[in-house]
Amino acid sequence: MTQPFDSQSLGRRLNELLALSLLRSGPRHGYQVAVEVEERSGGFFTFRHGTLYPILHRLEKDGLIAGAWSDPEEGRARKEYALTQAGRTYLGEAILQWDALVERLAPFLSDEATDEQVRAGAA
Amino acid sequence: MNRFGPALRRTARELDLPPPLRDAILLELAADLEAAYLDQRRRGRDEEEAARRAEEMILGSSEVVRRLARLHADSWRGWSDDVGTRLSRGGGLVLLAVAVVPMLLAAARVAISELVHAPASPLIWLLSAVGATIATLVGLEGARLVRGRWSSGNRPTLLLLSAVAPALGLLALALGLRSVAIALASESAEVSSVALLAERVGRDAALFAVGLLLGISGALSWFVLRSRASVLAAREADALLSDGSAPELGTRSGAIPLMRRRRA
């Protein structure tokens, strides 16, 4: 039986999912993560005002991503994050949970009577 | 003058953490601020607008910064880095010269002696390779730090090899003792062979000592190198937070370059 969903942590888990899934395709530094999330979602998801950094640092502390300083020939060293094996496992489970969330939410959103009221209100 | 200096100083004041942890966070933010600024400039924005957007994206409200500080508040690394930084300022390089180098030389002397005089254990080859690698990594990392590159290169590998070396030495000793025990238990053991077996035990014990010396010297080197890197990172962070009235850093004795120059 699927574990009950903790709706209070919805926002935090969404942010984790965005960051972890982006890092699946390769290491990135914080700004790259923020820009790519925004671009790939067409601006729907944005990280502003430094909100990404507590997320990345917590993921690193939990061992789901690993931070490493780059060593460029010029310019500042930058901290890049890469998904760890534990992070890949966690991401796989998180994706399944989100699929279950969407599936369980659908009955609440597809009530016919409600649909008509919504349409009438939107008109 | 650093265009993001005032904003970084505000953030630094709110990051209530030991200096090494605070500096690491500030350096990360500074690097991403520059990346964001350059990206915004590439998208056609003027300097002022690009800087504003970069700050808006990268730097947090007081609540976000406090959240970041709380996340790291219980980190042991802040304490150990702080101790290490003090040690490094006080004489980390002296420790390297007085303790680590002699240990490496002693280990090398025993290892070479074993290799030259018909090795008692085949593990001496592996132990010698580990020792040579430790010495090479210490040299390479030291050279990187002298050039001002504080970002971690091979230090994790150095720490790993420092754990492997004593394990190999212990394995060599254990296998040697096992061989001796088997030989002694055989019915044909003679007095002269007992003497030879005793010599063998001594040589295996020497291998264990080599492994131990390599492990201690590698671990000490890792600690000193990491501490030195923290000092360099702290200098770079200080430069970021400077309001421009402080003297140019990098002009002290040993002139360590803080940033690599950008191409024109």
Side-chain angles (χ1 to χ4, degrees):
Chain A
M1 183 179 159
T2 314
Q3 293 289 338
F5 186 78
D6 174 19
S7 56
Q8 293 214 348
S9 62
L10 187 62
R12 176 175 64 81
R13 293 168 76 180
L14 172 61
N15 290 331
E16 286 178 356
L17 197 61
L18 290 170
L20 291 173
S21 58
L22 204 62
L23 292 174
R24 191 170 33 181
S25 55
R28 286 166 175 76
H29 52 79
Y31 177 65
Q32 280 176 310
V33 172
V35 162
E36 288 191 38
V37 162
E38 186 168 341
E39 286 179 351
R40 284 172 67 170
S41 67
F44 193 80
F45 298 119
T46 59
F47 286 113
R48 286 276 184 267
H49 306 299
T51 52
L52 177 62
Y53 293 95
I55 296 165
L56 290 175
H57 285 222
R58 187 166 43 74
L59 290 172
E60 185 183 19
K61 203 174 178 187
D62 290 345
L64 302 179
I65 62 178
W69 291 93
S70 63
D71 186 24
E73 283 298 318
E74 296 161 349
R76 256 178 234 290
R78 307 178 74 171
K79 190 171 183 183
E80 290 187 340
Y81 296 94
L83 202 58
T84 61
Q85 190 52 49
R88 287 185 193 280
T89 306
Y90 181 86
L91 178 59
E93 291 167 1
I95 290 172
L96 290 175
Q97 284 192 326
W98 274 94
D99 289 342
L101 167 69
V102 170
E103 189 187 326
R104 299 298 176 99
L105 197 54
F108 291 89
L109 303 180
S110 64
D111 182 84
E112 282 188 15
T114 310
D115 278 350
E116 286 196 12
Q117 287 176 14
V118 168
R119 279 195 218 104
Chain B
M1 183 179 160
N2 179 12
R3 73 170 53 82
F4 298 113
L8 286 170
R9 282 197 289 278
R10 273 197 307 276
T11 303
R13 280 195 292 273
E14 290 169 350
L15 269 176
D16 186 19
L17 289 169
L21 278 174
R22 184 205 65 175
D23 293 342
I25 293 171
L26 287 172
L27 288 167
E28 179 183 2
L29 294 177
D32 282 1
L33 273 169
E34 282 183 11
Y37 172 78
L38 292 172
D39 186 43
Q40 293 299 317
R41 290 285 283 150
R42 272 193 295 271
R43 290 169 194 243
R45 297 191 170 93
D46 63 31
E47 288 186 7
E48 199 178 314
E49 179 63 13
R52 188 193 68 77
R53 283 178 179 252
E55 283 188 26
E56 184 188 66
M57 188 171 263
I58 304 297
L59 294 182
S61 61
S62 295
E63 174 50 36
V64 169
V65 175
R66 278 197 291 273
R67 207 184 329 154
L68 206 48
R70 275 198 302 272
L71 194 59
H72 292 285
D74 60 352
S75 169
W76 65 271
R77 190 173 167 235
W79 175 84
S80 75
D81 278 0
D82 206 15
V83 169
T85 304
R86 291 174 203 274
L87 174 70
S88 185
R89 286 190 177 127
L93 293 176
V94 171
L95 183 64
L96 269 178
V98 166
V100 171
V101 171
M103 275 195 277
L104 281 174
L105 288 174
R109 190 162 172 265
V110 173
I112 289 169
S113 170
E114 272 296 303
L115 287 169
V116 165
H117 298 108
S121 168
L123 285 173
I124 182 63
W125 296 102
L126 200 50
L127 209 44
S128 299
V130 168
T133 308
I134 286 176
T136 304
L137 289 178
V138 170
L140 285 174
E141 284 301 300
R144 283 166 52 85
L145 289 171
V146 165
R147 291 199 310 273
R149 294 190 187 183
W150 53 262
S151 56
S152 60
N154 297 307
R155 291 199 296 275
T157 307
L158 178 59
L159 191 62
L160 178 66
L161 289 176
S162 302
V164 165
L168 280 177
L170 192 60
L171 181 63
L173 178 62
L175 290 175
L177 287 174
R178 181 174 170 273
S179 302
V180 165
I182 290 170
L184 283 174
S186 74
E187 293 179 1
S188 60
E190 297 173 358
V191 173
S192 56
S193 32
V194 169
L196 285 172
L197 290 172
E199 188 205 345
R200 166 72 192 262
V201 169
R203 290 171 71 188
D204 288 330
L207 286 189
F208 174 60
V210 167
L212 211 53
L213 281 174
L214 288 176
I216 293 171
S217 57
L220 267 179
S221 300
W222 171 83
F223 186 71
V224 170
L225 291 169
R226 186 157 167 266
S227 303
R228 185 67 189 157
S230 291
V231 169
L232 292 179
R235 285 185 188 169
E236 189 168 330
D238 285 345
L240 280 173
L241 299 177
S242 164
D243 60 0
S245 58
E248 284 292 320
L249 293 169
T251 56
R252 300 172 195 166
S253 59
I256 295 171
L258 290 174
M259 277 184 64
R260 276 72 66 190
R261 292 186 178 282
R262 292 179 188 281
R263 284 207 185 106

